């Protein structure tokens, strides 16, 4: 592709209606030399539809370390929520990327600090980050949030969630 931006989402909600995103194992993301010097987005599960209701339950998203793509910017998000009505429960998001900014859950504002499009109800999730330099548990409103405790305070979500390493049986 000659486009300046390229990307992929494991599950991308773009339309109206109710979407039940249940019991998925999302992993294996990779960038290649074909992506060199472009901006790239990589999302596990994304809802950017203002008219969608997303029920995101019992999914596992494994964010592996990505290869460098040169001068391009990489937007790596486990769960990306920018609009709609969203319930996010009982998911595991493991973030092994620490070479650039990456987030287990991403909840930006609607363009004005403190104002959000849609709603988010999240609880009983496991958000784990292996790195401590660039990996963050979350992005909320206007900034990255490094720890689960800080995410809980900022967002008032995930009161029963944990941040624990998951012992996967296999790498695939």
């Amino acid at each position: 592709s000659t486009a300046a931006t390229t990307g992929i989402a494991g599950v991308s909600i773009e339309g109206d209606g109710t979407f039940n995103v249940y019991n998925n194992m999302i992993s294996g993301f990779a960038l290649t030399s074909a992506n060199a010097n472009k901006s790239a987005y990589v999302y596990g599960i994304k809802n950017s539809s203002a008219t969608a209701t997303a029920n995101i339950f019992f999914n596992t998203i494994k964010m592996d370390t990505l290869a460098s793509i040169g001068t391009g910017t990489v937007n790596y998000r486990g769960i990306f929520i920018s609009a709609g009505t969203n319930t996010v429960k009982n998911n595991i998001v493991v973030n092994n990327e620490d070479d650039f900014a990456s987030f287990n859950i991403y909840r930006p504002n609607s363009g004005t600090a403190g104002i959000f499009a849609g709603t988010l109800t999240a609880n009983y999730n496991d958000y784990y980050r292996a790195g401590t330099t660039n990996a963050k548990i979350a992005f909320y409103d206007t900034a990255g949030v490094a720890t689960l405790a800080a995410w809980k305070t900022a967002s008032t979500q995930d009161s029963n969630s944990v941040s624990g390493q998951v012992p996967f049986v296999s790498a695939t």
Side-chain angles (χ1 to χ4, degrees), residues 5-9 31 35 39-43 75:
T5 301
T6 187
I8 188 169
L31 297 174
N35 305 117
S39 291
Y41 63 87
V42 181
Y43 303 144
N75 296 305

Side-chain angles (χ1 to χ4, degrees), residues 15 28 30-31 35 58 63 81 91 110 135 150 155 161 165:
L31 297 174
N35 305 117
F58 301 107
M63 302 167 61
I81 302 295
N91 298 285
S110 63
S155 68
S161 294
Q165 188 171 11

Side-chain angles (χ1 to χ4, degrees), residues 24-97:
N24 297 287
M25 175 65 184
I26 301 170
S27 66
F29 292 117
L31 297 174
T32 67
S33 60
N35 305 117
N37 303 322
K38 297 179 183 179
S39 291
Y41 63 87
V42 181
Y43 303 144
I45 299 172
K46 173 187 133 190
N47 183 12
S48 60
S49 173
T51 57
T53 297
N55 299 308
I56 302 169
F57 300 153
F58 301 107
N59 299 285
T60 298
I61 302 168
K62 187 170 178 258
M63 302 167 61
D64 291 318
T65 300
L66 298 174
S68 172
I69 58 169
T71 60
T73 301
V74 178
N75 296 305
Y76 203 4
R77 324 288 188 232
I79 299 174
F80 179 89
I81 302 295
S82 64
T85 302
N86 303 276
T87 304
V88 178
K89 291 187 177 179
N90 297 300
N91 298 285
I92 298 169
V93 184
V94 175
N95 182 353
N96 291 319
E97 176 59 70

Side-chain angles (χ1 to χ4, degrees), residues 91-94 104 124-128 161-166:
N91 298 285
I92 298 169
V93 184
V94 175
N104 295 56
Y124 300 101
N125 298 294
D126 182 353
Y127 304 117
Y128 176 75
S161 294
V162 298
S163 182
Q165 188 171 11
V166 178

